[in-house]
């Protein structure tokens, strides 16, 4: 498939992002928002921008990792699986649908200024124009990008003129009281106006068309958010400083009202025309975007097949366009404008909570394919703030929107049960989550013989079945190794004179067919040549295979089972993997693999002549020494056994420890010695000692602190502080 041309400049992306926000949030919403909090409405807009910022950072990261994936729906499905993808698809559909319906209600109000329409009929006028939008979308009439930039420019110029005329005329008397309903009223208003900024992340869906997306996408989002925050805050301040609250609180055409006050009737009419153009454009783009969510879900088998049909002539998803417009018409006719705004905000808050959670899940699982060009700053605190502030905003929106969200979850569960439960895709969280997450989010299958976690017998369908069943060591190569040859050498050193199975494993997103990835790959061909040359030069009995998979942990697990290996040897970056809810593949393998497990952190040391074995006293010393001895024999290196004990340890205890260790070392062929060092800071002691060695061998820590257990984001401190390469061994009780 031909890749999209990256043709959009930073300026174009900023214009598109501003266009996604410029609409009902400023042309309709301010008066209703002011009724909830008073003149502090400008502060509510400012705080809402702060609350939306984490979603902008998170979506920038997700979009640069999945630039052609289609946006929030796929991000959530990729992280949490098709169940949450179903719920997210419905939530996104409804949020855009309600936002577009809200824009059309405002459109009707502005149109009534130019055409004498009874106030009770404006909703039906909005529905009439909705029918026009329906046919435009079915016919596939696309909104030209230059027209969108023109509309944004006209709107910004008009608002700038209002600010220039309105700020000098601001009345201090009208600004009092600042908060008519106290802090609770202010925070509920923050939640109410949240939808105003939702369009800032819409541009993420076209990340594949943006020049240098790793820089331009987040920069465009942040700059456009800053620009719109200044506009929203300033316009809201001018409105409450020039119009009495009693007049403003029921006004859904406030830009016309303030323009007429500042410049007379003709200026007011011009503002009405600008409002009409802006709001109808926003409603049209909203229908275009909203109708694609149920269409995509039908393609993914999460909704009935008929919803995935396209028009034979115009090639547009006619069924979902009609459904979207019909539901919008019902919303416009039967719901009042405030309820529409609240529901739109509630659904978007829910989606952005999940977007922030996606980044945490994908970062913590360290899925091999997840390589964003841009990474959110201050991770995970930004995402946690976005999640917790989002939950708080949902509470402040009241019981109605909360019940609507519960309804979406129930509807999503029902739809998934009837249509999507046979979907073969699984989310990253289900693949790499620990048991608490699985019990919380997924029903456990009873009375099923589960060989490996996802119970999918076809996980290795791409392997040719020629794996070395007698391999003593399996070395999976994941593409992030500093030196694949060095990792294979370490596997050979650990091996007990048996065959080594090397498998290059490539993990791809579920949306990519495995068959499309099995074609000849020059990088893999080069890797096979290098590994084969190493095998010849070192006299290693080695077999090389390449595998493509959707589920890297299950594939590696199955590799070890097929070969009945003694050891699994993998490259490592020193990261701890013990989060309660999520872990990366290595973390999952540590608790599920049946063989012994070696993690090698390559520090660039090519020639190993001195090996340091650092153990807590009495911890499987015999087994570790045997492995260390094999490694030293392979490299013709010396071995030093180091015990670090607390400074309060008695000399008699130390003497016994030395004697016992020396007896163990008598059985090894390698030149060896024992060091028992008194030091309360074991990490520092081992770090300093490692400077004199080429390889440090460690055991797996017995336990992590509570922060590591909760978040799983820490580093193995012994490994991180080491001055040489590190081999961390996890040995089973045989």
């Amino acid at each position: 498939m031909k890749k999209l041309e990256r043709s959009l400049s930073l300026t174009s992306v900023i214009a598109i992002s501003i266009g996604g926000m410029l609409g009902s949030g400023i042309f309709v919403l301010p008066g209703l928002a002011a009724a909830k909090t008073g003149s502090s409405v400008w502060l509510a807009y400012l705080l809402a921008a702060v609350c939306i910022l984490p979603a902008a950072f998170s979506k920038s990261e997700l979009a640069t990792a999945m630039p052609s994936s289609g946006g929030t729906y796929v991000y959530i499905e990729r992280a949490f699986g098709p169940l949450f993808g179903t719920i997210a698809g419905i939530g996104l559909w409804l949020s855009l649908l309600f936002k577009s319906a809200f824009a059309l209600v405002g459109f009707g109000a502005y149109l009534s200024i130019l055409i004498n329409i009874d106030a009770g009929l404006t909703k039906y006028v909005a529905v009439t124009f909705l029918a026009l939008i329906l046919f435009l979308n079915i016919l596939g009439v696309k909104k030209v990008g230059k027209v969108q930039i023109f509309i944004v420019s006209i709107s910004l110029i008009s608002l700038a003129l209002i600010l220039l005329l309105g700020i000098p005329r601001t009345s201090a008397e009208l600004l009092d009281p600042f908060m008519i309903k106290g802090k609770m009223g202010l925070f509920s208003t923050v939640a109410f106006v949240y939808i105003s900024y939702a369009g800032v992340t819409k541009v993420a869906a076209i990340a594949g068309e943006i020049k240098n997306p790793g820089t331009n996408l987040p920069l465009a989002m942040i700059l456009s958010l800053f620009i719109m925050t200044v506009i929203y805050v300033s316009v809201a301040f001018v409105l409450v400083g020039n119009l009495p609250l009693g007049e403003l609180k029921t006004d859904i055409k406030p830009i016309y009202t303030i323009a007429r006050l500042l410049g007379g009737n003709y200026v007011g009419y011009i503002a009405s025309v600008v409002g009409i153009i802006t709001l109808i454009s926003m409603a049209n783009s909203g229908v275009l975007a909203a109708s694609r969510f149920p269409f995509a879900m039908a393609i993914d088998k999460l909704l009935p097949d008929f919803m995935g049909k396209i028009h034979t002539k115009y090639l547009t998803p006619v069924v979902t366009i009609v459904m979207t417009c019909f539901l919008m018409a019902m919303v416009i006719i039967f719901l009042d404008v405030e309820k529409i705004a609240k529901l739109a905000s509630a659904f978007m808050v829910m989606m952005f909570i999940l977007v922030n959670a996606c980044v945490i899940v994908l970062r913590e699982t360290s899925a091999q394919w997840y390589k964003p060009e841009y990474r959110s700053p201050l991770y995970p605190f930004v995402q946690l703030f976005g999640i917790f502030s989002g939950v708080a905003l949902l509470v402040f929106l009241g019981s109605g929107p909360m019940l609507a969200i519960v309804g979406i979850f129930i509807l999503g569960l029902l739809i998934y049960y009837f249509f999507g439960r046979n979907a073969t895709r699984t989310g990253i969280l289900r693949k790499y989550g620990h048991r608490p997450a699985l019990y919380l989010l997924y029903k456990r299958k009873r009375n099923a013989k589960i060989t490996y976690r996802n119970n999918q017998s076809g996980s290795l369908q791409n392997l040719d079945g020629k794996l070395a069943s007698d391999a003593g060591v399996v070395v999976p190569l994941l593409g992030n190794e500093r030196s694949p040859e060095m990792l294979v050498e370490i596997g050979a050193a650990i091996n007990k004179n048996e065959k080594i199975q090397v498998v290059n494993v490539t993990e791809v997103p579920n949306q990519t067919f495995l068959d499309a990835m099995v074609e000849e790959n020059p990088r893999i061909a080069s890797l096979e040549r290098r590994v084969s040359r190493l095998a010849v030069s070192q006299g290693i009995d080695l077999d090389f295979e390449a595998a493509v998979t959707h589920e890297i942990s299950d594939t590696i697990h199955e590799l070890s089972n097929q070969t009945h290996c003694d050891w699994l040897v993998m490259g490592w970056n020193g990261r701890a993997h013990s989060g309660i809810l999520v872990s990366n593949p290595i973390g999952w393998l540590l608790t599920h693999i049946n063989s012994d497990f070696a993690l090698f952190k390559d520090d660039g040391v090519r020639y190993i002549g001195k090996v340091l074995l650092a153990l807590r006293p009495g911890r499987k010393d015999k087994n570790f020494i045997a492995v260390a001895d094999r490694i030293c024999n392979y490299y013709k290196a010396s071995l030093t056994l180091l015990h670090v004990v607390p400074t309060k340890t008695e000399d008699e205890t130390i003497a016994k420890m030395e004697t016992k260790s020396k007896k163990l070392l008598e059985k090894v062929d390698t030149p060896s010695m024992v060091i028992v060092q008194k030091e309360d800071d074991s990490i520092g002691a081992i770090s300093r000692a490692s400077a004199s060695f080429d390889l440090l061998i460690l055991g797996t820590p017995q336990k992590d602190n509570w922060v590591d257990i909760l978040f799983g984001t820490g580093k193995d401190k012994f490994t991180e502080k080491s001055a040489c390469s590190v081999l961390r061994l996890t040995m089973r009780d045989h």
Side-chain angles (χ1 to χ4, degrees), residues 208 231 438 734:
I231 291 172
L438 302 182
H734 297 292

Side-chain angles (χ1 to χ4, degrees), residues 335-397:
L335 292 181
D336 65 62
V337 65
E338 184 172 334
K339 285 183 179 178
I340 297 173
K342 275 190 173 183
L343 289 170
S345 280
F347 296 147
M348 193 53 69
V349 170
M350 181 184 75
M351 290 303 102
F352 284 163
I353 288 173
L354 290 175
V355 163
N356 284 304
C358 281
V359 172
I360 293 177
V361 168
L362 291 168
R363 286 268 199 115
E364 294 307 303
T365 55
S366 297
Q368 188 194 37
W369 57 264
Y370 186 68
K371 297 176 181 178
E373 293 181 39
Y374 168 81
R375 288 184 174 267
S376 170
L378 300 176
Y379 171 85
F381 304 107
V382 166
Q383 284 68 33
L384 292 174
F385 171 75
I387 292 170
F388 292 132
S389 63
V391 172
L393 291 177
L394 288 178
V395 172
F396 283 118
L397 279 170

Side-chain angles (χ1 to χ4, degrees), residues 578-580 704-714:
S578 51
I580 287 178
D704 296 321
N705 61 47
W706 70 270
V707 175
D708 293 333
I709 291 172
L710 185 61
F711 295 110
T713 56

Side-chain angles (χ1 to χ4, degrees), residues 512-527:
T512 304
F513 290 110
L514 295 179
D515 291 343
M517 301 296 295
V518 296
E519 60 187 27
E520 188 69 23
N521 186 314
R523 189 189 67 82
I524 295 175
S526 172
L527 184 61

Side-chain angles (χ1 to χ4, degrees), residues 300-321:
D300 287 344
K301 306 300 181 184
L302 299 178
L303 284 175
D305 290 340
F306 76 90
M307 295 177 68
K309 291 183 178 179
I310 60 174
H311 195 284
T312 54
K313 181 179 180 181
Y314 303 114
L315 304 179
T316 51
V318 61
V319 175
T320 56
I321 291 173

Side-chain angles (χ1 to χ4, degrees), residues 551-676:
E551 301 172 4
I552 197 167
S553 58
D554 288 328
T555 298
I556 295 173
H557 186 195
E558 189 65 15
L559 284 171
S560 68
N561 287 342
Q562 279 195 21
T563 57
H564 308 293
C565 66
D566 297 321
W567 281 93
L568 189 69
V569 180
M570 295 181 66
W572 188 42
N573 64 358
R575 179 174 175 170
H577 314 280
S578 51
I580 287 178
L581 295 182
V582 291
S583 65
N584 71 22
I586 289 177
W588 185 83
L589 287 166
L590 275 170
T591 56
H592 289 75
I593 208 77
N594 295 320
S595 63
D596 292 335
F597 200 13
L599 295 174
F600 179 61
K601 182 175 181 291
D602 191 345
D603 199 47
V605 179
R606 184 63 189 90
Y607 301 101
I608 296 176
K610 297 179 66 178
V611 175
L612 176 66
L613 175 59
L615 295 176
R616 286 188 300 276
R619 189 182 183 201
K620 297 182 183 176
D621 289 7
K622 182 178 179 181
N623 295 343
F624 279 93
I625 289 172
V627 175
D629 184 38
R630 287 203 296 274
I631 293 172
C632 289
N633 280 326
Y634 183 90
Y635 286 106
K636 296 180 173 55
S638 63
L639 174 64
T640 299
L641 176 58
L642 171 66
H643 291 306
V644 180
V645 298
T647 53
K648 295 181 180 179
T649 305
E650 296 180 356
D651 292 340
E652 183 179 351
T653 303
I654 292 175
K656 289 181 179 179
M657 192 180 300
E658 287 181 337
T659 302
K660 182 179 179 181
S661 297
K662 286 178 180 178
K663 284 185 178 180
L664 290 172
L665 290 176
E666 287 175 357
K667 300 177 181 179
V668 305
D669 300 326
T670 305
S672 58
M673 63 180 295
V674 177
I675 298 175
V676 180

